[in-house]
Structures are given as structure tokens and as C-alpha cells.
Amino acid sequence: MISMATFAETKINGVYYNLDGNKREAQVTYNESAQSASSSYSGAVTIPQVVTHEGKEYSVTSIGEEAFLENVGLTSVAIPNSVKSIGDKAFYGCSSLTSVTIPNSVTTIGEGAFSGCNGLTAINIPGSVESIGMGAFSSCNALSSIVVDKDNTVYDSRNGCNAIVMIANNMLVAGCKGTIIPNTVSGIGACAFYGCQSMTNISIPNSVRTIGLNAFALCYGLTSINIPESVISIGRGAFMLCSSLSSVTINGSNTSIMSYAFDGCRSVSSVKLLSQTPPAIDNMTFDVYGELHVPASVVKAYQVADYWKKFRIVGDKK
């Protein structure tokens, strides 16, 4: 008879696992018994390919959701070649983690998997990875190098751009302070640069059509942004809480701007719009009302437009 037993939170050589008695597989798991999330691991941790419990061997095939959540003392982790998936928030908030090697067995990296790993300076995505969740490397302030293996058929880091780009749709899904957005990128994905506090400037090429949800939110060091005419949509919260942002230029004549796009950007003193028709936005789009520069021929249209009339409107000849 095949055993269906699953042992919750089994500690083996200092690492916590869930064991599947049927498949003989082990998943690195969150330590539910810890008094606080940060008390489970510190220093260097090595995860083996196989663990033994009560005389039976189990292959370590995954790192589960929140497995190392906020273990601020964790400095490095060795992931074995047997692991296929890294779960949502698996290393979230591991602020001292400076070294991690993702093996060529991993196919899935979950949402927020390495978010808040402020010690990481470089990350390499192997050819095996087929899925990367939203914000997988968000708020990694020291991260300056992202390289996708040349054998990967789903993602690339074309032209040494220090970013992860989805090949099928040319969407940039993850970037860092060292990113140079290639002029082949069609969109900047949700949370792509979320929490990149050390980034002070970024150039968005004229190939980009969409800027996604929270794409640049919490980029505290960003001081100005020039959004090219190619962009047709600025997503909800795209630049939210960019507290140093003082100058915004939107060049598109048909660009839609979603709620909270610039909410919390309290240093914005100048906004420039080239649209002949005032874009329809709501009271949550901007947090302050500085100077609004628009084409001189349409000043009156902006002066009477709901919400835009809150700005000090200046007509520019060009």
C-alpha cells in the first residue's frame, strides 16, 4: 500500500520541510513554530538534494511560499539542482542575503520571491526558468546586474540591459538600478521597478506603449521622468510615492493616466502635457498641484477641465 502521509514542518538538519510520503518529495517550508519569522535561519544555509526522515529518502523539489520570509540574518543560500520552483515571497525581506544561485532545474519563480533582498547585487536567471511572478525582485536596492542565460527561450536580457524581458511580447518584467531599457521593449510590466529606491534616473525609449501597475512606485530617488509620445497608457500607481520626483513630462497626445499614477509624489512642481485634449483623470492621480505646461493654443481647455484646473496652467509656444 502506498503511503499518503504528509508530515508538516519536519525539521531536518536545521531546515524545515513538508514531506510528501506518496511522491517522496520534500518542500522547504515556513517555520510555523517560530516565535517570529526572523528567528528560523541565519548565516549560510545549504539545502540538500535529498533528505532522510525515519529511514526514507525524499527529493527536495521546491522552496515553498514564504519559506525564508523576513529572515534578516540569512546571508547566503545554496539551492540544489533538484528544486523546480521557488514560491511566492520565499525570500521576501531577507535583507542580509548577499548570495543566491538559482540552479538550472528551476522553472518557476513566484511573486515577490526575492522582494526586499537589499543585499543582493546580482542575479542570474538560468535557461530553465519559464515563469517569473510579479515583483519577484522588487525593492532590491543594491541590485545592479540582472542576466538571463542565453539558452532561455522565454526571457532575455538583450544587449546587456540588466533587466528581464519576456521574449513573446517584449515586456520588461523586472529591472534594477543598472537597467538600460532597450528600444525593442514594448511595455514596462507591473512592479517592474517597484521600490528601486537607489535609481535616480531612467530613460524610457519611444518603443514603449504601456507602463504597468506600480511599475515605478516607491522609486524614492527618481527626480524627473520623460514619458515619450509612444506611451498610450500609464497604469494605476505607476509612479506612486516617488517622493523626490519634481518634474513630469508626458509627450503623448492620447495617453491615458490611471488613478494614483502620481499619488504621493509631493515634490512635483512641474507637469508638462502635449495633449491637445485634456486627458480624463480623477482626483487621486496627482497629490499636489504645481505648474502645468500645455500648448498655448489649448490653455483655456485645461483651465475649465475638471481636475486640471487645479494646476497653475502655463501656455508654452512649443
Side-chain angles (χ1 to χ4, degrees):
M1 182 176 180
I2 298 176
S3 172
M4 297 295 290
T6 298
F7 301 92
E9 199 185 301
T10 303
K11 187 178 182 181
I12 305 172
N13 296 327
V15 179
Y16 294 84
Y17 301 92
N18 283 334
L19 304 177
D20 188 320
N22 182 24
K23 295 181 179 180
R24 292 289 180 88
E25 292 179 350
Q27 178 189 70
V28 182
T29 190
Y30 178 78
N31 179 13
E32 294 285 357
S33 62
Q35 291 183 348
S36 68
S38 62
S39 65
S40 297
Y41 303 101
S42 63
V45 171
T46 298
I47 302 170
Q49 289 193 28
V50 177
V51 293
T52 302
H53 179 70
E54 296 182 349
K56 297 178 180 179
E57 290 189 342
Y58 298 80
S59 177
V60 180
T61 58
S62 64
I63 298 175
E65 182 178 330
E66 300 183 356
F68 293 91
L69 179 75
E70 294 179 342
N71 276 258
V72 295
L74 183 68
T75 57
S76 68
V77 60
I79 302 173
N81 234 351
S82 54
V83 168
K84 299 175 183 177
S85 65
I86 299 173
D88 294 351
K89 296 184 177 180
F91 295 93
Y92 180 95
C94 293
S95 55
S96 298
L97 183 65
T98 59
S99 176
V100 62
T101 300
I102 301 172
N104 203 36
S105 55
V106 171
T107 60
T108 303
I109 300 173
E111 291 188 8
F114 294 91
S115 180
C117 291
N118 292 327
L120 284 179
T121 58
I123 197 77
N124 293 299
I125 305 297
S128 57
V129 172
E130 300 172 353
S131 174
I132 299 174
M134 183 175 64
F137 303 99
S138 63
S139 298
C140 293
N141 294 328
L143 190 62
S144 60
S145 173
I146 302 176
V147 177
V148 180
D149 189 273
K150 61 181 177 57
D151 293 329
N152 196 300
T153 59
V154 179
Y155 302 99
D156 66 30
S157 51
R158 61 195 66 174
N159 302 322
C161 64
N162 287 316
I164 302 172
V165 180
M166 185 175 286
I167 296 171
N169 59 5
N170 293 311
M171 179 72 68
L172 191 153
V173 297
C176 64
K177 67 177 182 179
T179 296
I180 299 174
I181 303 175
N183 59 12
T184 53
V185 165
S186 63
I188 299 170
C191 297
F193 291 91
Y194 183 97
C196 190
Q197 298 177 18
S198 53
M199 183 175 69
T200 57
N201 61 79
I202 191 76
S203 178
I204 301 175
N206 211 33
S207 57
V208 172
R209 291 179 57 78
T210 60
I211 299 174
L213 169 76
N214 292 338
F216 293 94
L218 277 74
C219 289
Y220 298 141
L222 196 62
T223 58
S224 65
I225 194 71
N226 185 6
I227 298 171
E229 62 181 351
S230 58
V231 172
I232 60 172
S233 175
I234 301 172
R236 185 180 176 90
F239 295 91
M240 185 172 63
L241 294 172
C242 290
S243 55
S244 297
L245 190 65
S246 61
S247 174
V248 177
T249 299
I250 302 173
N251 291 287
S253 59
N254 232 350
T255 305
S256 67
I257 309 170
M258 303 301 288
S259 294
Y260 302 100
F262 296 93
D263 185 50
C265 300
R266 301 198 63 82
S267 297
V268 172
S269 59
S270 174
V271 176
K272 184 174 182 178
L273 291 173
L274 295 187
S275 177
Q276 295 289 317
T277 303
I281 59 175
D282 60 35
N283 289 335
M284 299 298 182
T285 302
F286 286 90
D287 203 28
V288 293
Y289 315 111
E291 283 190 349
L292 175 63
H293 292 257
V294 299
S297 59
V298 293
V299 166
K300 289 185 178 179
Y302 278 88
Q303 286 175 336
V304 298
D306 188 33
Y307 185 74
W308 291 112
K309 60 187 178 184
K310 297 180 180 180
F311 287 81
R312 296 189 301 276
I313 298 173
V314 177
D316 291 342
K317 292 182 179 180
K318 291 186 179 180

